[in-house]
Amino acid sequence: PRYFSRVSKSTIANLRQVYSVDKSFSGTGTISFYQTHKEVHVSRHYQSLLKENLRNMSKKMKKKAFGIVLLV
């Protein structure tokens, strides 16, 4: 559950599979995923939540990677 985030009323996305997030001038966005052509609409309401969740996940991934390097 910690790697999933709601991006619109009808969509929940796996943040580990996000390749890119494109933001439009109207405030909405589009998520592209790794190894697929599928794209998902991000509503304005969930744009900031998605950004925060991606940032938090990135920090956690860096800490885990750093910890692994220290153990080796």
Side-chain angles (χ1 to χ4, degrees):
R2 64 181 174 207
Y3 296 113
F4 290 86
S5 179
R6 182 171 297 278
V7 296
S8 69
K9 281 185 177 181
S10 62
T11 310
I12 297 174
N14 182 349
L15 300 180
R16 289 177 140 183
Q17 296 299 315
V18 172
Y19 179 73
S20 68
V21 179
D22 298 320
K23 191 172 178 183
S24 69
F25 290 111
S26 64
T28 62
T30 304
I31 297 176
S32 298
F33 297 95
Y34 286 110
Q35 300 178 350
T36 184
H37 65 279
K38 293 183 181 180
E39 294 182 337
V40 173
H41 171 77
V42 181
S43 70
R44 286 182 287 168
H45 179 75
Y46 291 103
Q47 187 79 26
S48 60
L49 179 64
L50 173 65
K51 186 176 178 181
E52 181 181 331
N53 288 339
L54 285 170
R55 210 178 266 145
N56 288 338
M57 192 180 82
S58 176
K59 288 178 185 178
K60 289 177 185 177
M61 298 292 269
K62 286 179 184 177
K63 286 180 183 178
K64 284 183 181 181
F66 185 67
I68 291 169
V69 171
L70 289 176
L71 294 174
V72 172

